[in-house]
Amino acid sequence: MKPIKLPSSFLLGSATAATQIEGGDKNSNWYHWSLKGMIANNESSIVAADHYNRVIEDINLMKEMNHEIYRMSIEWSRIEPEEGVWSQKGIKHYQDEIQALVEAGIKPLVTLHHFSHPQWFEEKGQWTNRDSVKYFSRFVKKVVSFLGDSVNEYCTINEPNVFAMDTFMDGKYPPGKKDDILSYFKASKNLILAHLKAYKIIHSERKKMGYNDTMVGIAIHLAYFEVSGNNILTKLSEKLMNYSFHQMFLNGMIEGHLTFPVGLGYPHGKGIYCDFIGVNYYSRHLIHSSNNPAMLFGEVKVEAGLPDEKLNDLGWEIYPEGLYKVVKEVFEKYKLPIYITENGIPDANDSKRAKFIYNHLKEIEKLIADDVDIRRYYHWSLLDNLEWNDGYAPRFGLIEVDYYTQKRTIRESGRFYGTICKEKEITKKMIDKYL
Ligand code: GAL
């Protein structure tokens, strides 16, 4: 294994999402989803990693791991628990959290929708409701006004593609629709429009406050798709999937271009609606031909017979080369700064995470050498957390959480990563010690 050197301007930290770590909120759609027994082992989001009550302890752990940046989300249901009603308690909580981060020298990147929203919004049909953009915009304006100068970087929507897929096609997220293609496209359209509107609101609101340093982007899940076999229909299915899972969202959210079937034309005018592209990358997906009538989406499988070291605890393939490929392609196309807004591994016994980090940073080193403007790496995740419908079993944390006592312990791979955050390199000595 060779040492790795990253530029000193390259920033490293980790990412989380409110529902997955905070606990305590009964107004979010995920709490209601857990009440219906829809999370593995009948688990609930109600306690999670109790981060809501342990913000300072967790920021101290970030400091211990030399974080320079941190990606977090704001729980909409804590800010607007009932339609049109703003919670001062919720607002104050996030103002204090962000203040504490800034004082710790950790720069926050704030996500405004990370898979969860208030139950009242859910009951209105969530993103399929024609007024969803209006509701979200009002929330966005509120957040920007109460965070003021303390945050200049926002991620509007996290993984609109995975969200729409898991909500309306795979039935995993509330309201658990299956193969509902119409809702998939309807919600996708609104998510795209919500981003475009939010992009404009955040810029104009901050401009009114006198700030010109605003950076707004998305966090898009880019999977590396590969066709399995030579079947012409499977190849077609891969193209359709790539379009409806990736390109359609990129067209819309970056260029403001609604393309078939979510729409036609430029509702906000031609332009560029992202100041950076946030890429969430996890794995390679092999596309097989499908018996599903919704053949459009083919069928994604992991290559048969892969050795254990190539698989994570959820059975996804570990494929670092894919990070290079998806980032290179999206950068060549749009030439916008790239942040890796998520990349990580469920690895309960911490036997693969350090190597995973090394191998993915190696790809980043190559991207930098090939003149890709890649600036950030947010490891998923700071802490073990609620992996949505898969519950608490998958362990993504650099920090281990004992859910009975809420005791935090930095894993060995977390120590390794903390040293990388500080040194911006992986030396021979670190390789010998951790890998
Ligand atoms: C992403 C998601 C995160 C986290 C991660 C690990 O799709 O944005 O919230 O769950 O996957 O699976």
Side-chain angles (χ1 to χ4, degrees), residues 13-15 65 67 350 353 357 379-384 395-400 409-415 417-418:
S14 63
M65 290 193 291
H67 279 33
D350 203 33
R353 189 173 290 102
I357 292 171
H379 188 79
W380 184 272
S381 180
L382 174 70
L383 298 166
D384 286 340
R395 299 283 183 155
F396 276 93
L398 293 163
I399 298 169
E400 182 186 349
T409 311
I410 299 181
R411 292 193 160 103
E412 265 306 280
S413 57
R415 300 261 168 225
Y417 186 61

Side-chain angles (χ1 to χ4, degrees), residues 16-17 20 71 114-115 158-159 162-163 166 173 219 221 280 282 314 316 342 344-346 380-381 385-388 390 394 396:
T16 59
Q20 295 179 274
R71 175 175 174 236
H114 194 129
F115 291 179
N158 178 68
E159 298 192 348
V162 170
F163 174 78
D166 285 357
Y173 300 172
H221 185 106
N280 293 0
Y282 286 89
L314 281 166
W316 309 343
E342 282 181 35
I345 177 174
W380 184 272
S381 180
N385 58 60
L386 174 71
E387 175 57 10
W388 306 110
D390 283 324
F396 276 93

Side-chain angles (χ1 to χ4, degrees), residues 95 139-154 200-214:
Q95 285 173 324
F139 162 67
V140 171
K141 199 166 167 187
K142 188 80 187 171
V143 173
V144 176
S145 77
F146 76 69
L147 290 182
D149 69 339
S150 53
V151 174
N152 72 323
E153 299 190 338
Y154 287 91
K200 290 173 104 174
I201 292 174
I202 301 168
H203 272 284
S204 71
E205 289 300 304
R206 294 197 84 254
K207 205 170 203 154
K208 277 192 230 155
M209 298 179 206
Y211 307 121
N212 288 314
D213 56 351
T214 311

